[in-house]
Amino acid sequence: LFFNEFNFIIKHRPGVQNVKADSLSRRPDYEITEEPENHVQLIKDHQVSLNVVEHLSFETLHRRFGHPGTQALKKTLPAVNGVRGTGPIQRILCEPCQLGKSTKKNIPGVSETSYDLLEVISSDTQGPFPVLAFDGTCNNVKFIDSKSNYCKMETISDREAATVLLAFKRFQARMERRTGKLIKNIRTDMGTEYMGEFVDYLEESGIVKQKGNAYSHVHPGKAERVHQSIMHKARAMLIE
């Protein structure tokens, strides 16, 4: 009765170690004793015929197979037993696919006014990186002039407001002395490194801080574009 129920075949193979019946049948109440000679091995019959074929719409198949494309679904169905589609395969308008593949809408570009030198400075920080630089730092801060696109990058030990402020003071002293002009505006994101004593210094110096939206990589756009350019070059060198 046991073998008829689970469709087993008994084959005698002298000298071959047996497979335990409890591991095959998953029935703990059946035990098998290992004999030193004339072992009996239980072999399950894997030849199972599928007589039932389920006919489903292609929208249902599309959802059950994990939302594949039309071409992928065409190639997958002939290799699957027990299921067939009804009607011709056609492009399906699937709302979950549209929502899953949706991205943020591109922000349209705005032509900026022709600024004077040092009139608008964009700044952003980057890090920490897993590998230390030669000077022991793992962060950097960038200052970009909107008129000339001149960029000054300085490596810093951390992203605290005091550290970023010291780097900005060095940038300010150098650029104002060389150009004879004063920094009037600075564009940053909502990071805490541009809060606290950094804001206090800007108010004392008469510099206006222009803040972007929090968790948005388009503010400030020039600084984010510099991040991307440097990372592209770094990845290319690492690949080589």
Side-chain angles (χ1 to χ4, degrees):
L1 179 62
F2 172 80
F3 300 111
N4 291 333
E5 179 182 357
F6 291 93
N7 194 18
F8 281 93
I9 300 175
I10 300 179
K11 291 185 178 181
H12 174 61
R13 295 184 178 179
V16 180
Q17 217 168 20
N18 297 322
V19 179
K20 292 186 178 181
D22 57 347
S23 63
L24 289 175
S25 64
R26 302 177 185 268
R27 297 281 297 273
D29 51 333
Y30 289 95
E31 297 182 358
I32 187 170
T33 59
E34 296 186 359
E35 303 273 340
E37 294 179 356
N38 299 329
H39 298 296
V40 175
Q41 184 178 8
L42 301 179
I43 302 175
K44 189 174 181 180
D45 186 9
H46 293 281
Q47 296 181 354
V48 181
S49 61
L50 295 176
N51 298 322
V52 179
V53 177
E54 189 175 7
H55 294 275
L56 302 172
S57 66
F58 284 104
E59 183 177 357
T60 303
L61 292 172
H62 169 75
R63 295 174 184 272
R64 290 191 179 182
F65 280 94
H67 298 268
T70 305
Q71 296 300 323
L73 195 58
K74 285 182 179 179
K75 296 178 181 179
T76 303
L77 281 179
V80 179
N81 295 325
V83 62
R84 289 291 180 268
T86 58
I89 299 179
Q90 55 187 358
R91 188 177 298 274
I92 302 169
L93 184 61
C94 179
E95 184 177 356
C97 283
Q98 294 177 340
L99 294 176
K101 298 175 183 178
S102 60
T103 57
K104 184 189 294 185
K105 185 178 180 181
N106 293 333
I107 298 178
V110 178
S111 59
E112 296 184 349
T113 307
S114 180
Y115 300 111
D116 195 5
L117 289 173
L118 302 187
E119 185 175 350
V120 177
I121 301 296
S122 299
S123 179
D124 196 12
T125 58
Q126 194 178 23
F129 293 98
V131 180
L132 297 178
F134 289 109
D135 56 359
T137 59
C138 58
N139 303 272
N140 66 70
V141 60
K142 301 177 181 69
F143 302 102
I144 303 100
D145 175 49
S146 295
K147 174 65 175 178
S148 62
N149 287 330
Y150 172 79
C151 174
K152 169 64 177 176
M153 185 183 76
E154 184 173 335
T155 56
I156 52 179
S157 57
D158 54 67
R159 298 169 65 186
E160 300 295 330
T163 307
V164 176
L165 178 58
L166 289 176
F168 175 71
K169 286 181 178 180
R170 289 190 288 267
F171 172 80
Q172 180 186 15
R174 175 178 179 177
M175 298 304 295
E176 290 182 350
R177 182 174 292 273
R178 291 201 170 194
T179 61
K181 300 180 181 295
L182 300 177
I183 296 177
K184 301 178 180 63
N185 303 275
I186 181 169
R187 291 178 179 173
T188 68
D189 55 16
M190 297 289 288
T192 56
E193 62 268 25
Y194 295 104
M195 303 293 184
E197 54 190 300
F198 190 91
V199 176
D200 296 339
Y201 176 78
L202 295 180
E203 293 177 351
E204 293 174 1
S205 305
I207 301 174
V208 178
K209 181 184 179 184
Q210 300 176 355
K211 299 180 293 184
N213 296 329
Y215 306 105
S216 178
H217 290 291
V218 298
H219 301 125
K222 284 185 177 292
E224 294 292 345
R225 187 65 181 87
V226 172
H227 288 338
Q228 188 181 56
S229 298
I230 294 176
M231 293 303 296
H232 286 175
K233 293 176 175 59
R235 291 192 188 102
M237 289 186 290
L238 289 174
I239 291 173
E240 285 184 335

